[in-house]
Amino acid sequence: MTQELAGKVAVVTGAGRNIGRAIALTLAEGGASIVVNARSNRAEADAVGREIEAAGGKALVHIGDVADAMAVQAMADAAVKHFGRIDILVNNAALRREKPFAEMDYAGWREILDVTLDGTFHCVKACLPALRKSGEGTIVNIGGLSAHTGAKNRAHVVTAKAGIIGLTRALAHDLADDGITANCVVPGLIGTPRPKDKPEPAHHLIHQTITGNRGLPEDVAVTVRFLCGPGARYINGQAIHTNGGAYLGA
């Protein structure tokens, strides 16, 4: 593949593992310098940074909670100080917990929205001045299949991810005059490692893919990479599903 992202700088949140890690590595393969963000696990983030640099890329690891506006601003400032610019923002950081709605308290509800939805707000606000200067800024938000299908025991997650879709469409309108595109990539049925005490969500088990197999984090990452490249500048405000045909709605 080409180095179509050479000279660009990408901030990827939640980049220490799974889909976020794959996005960071794939954008680096395209030539972008990467700000590898993780909430708290420095070992994982450092490993991704080393992997990027071992392949000849450039990486800056920054630990910070996207739910904390000040921490996010510090991340954006560090990116500009280190690399001189920000061209791409990938909002991947999210929490995906399960609890019946009747047992859900407000603190649990807010925890999900604080990271998934408010965190996206904080990141866009902090990176916006640099994205405007880029002239071809790109925002890619990572959605969720359950926002389109609904899911049992995930009212907070479904609501947050549905909000991401609305925010993406609003940003596409608000930022078009600045040359910034905003799109959402919606993964579905992606095979990622899970802790032994956290089995696969029940709603995954009711969906089947047309391809007959689960996707890989890299399948999501290549979609993100395309949206960040020069061939996708006419795509704006869209929710693009990467799910092997498990969901065929708009």
Side-chain angles (χ1 to χ4, degrees), residues 188-190 208-213 215 241-248:
L189 304 183
I190 303 300
Q208 299 295 324
T209 65
I210 292 174
T211 58
N213 62 287
H241 291 263
T242 306
N243 60 33
Y247 174 77
L248 301 178

Side-chain angles (χ1 to χ4, degrees), residues 16 28 48 87 93 105 119 139 193:
V48 175
D87 305 278
D105 58 20
I139 298 170

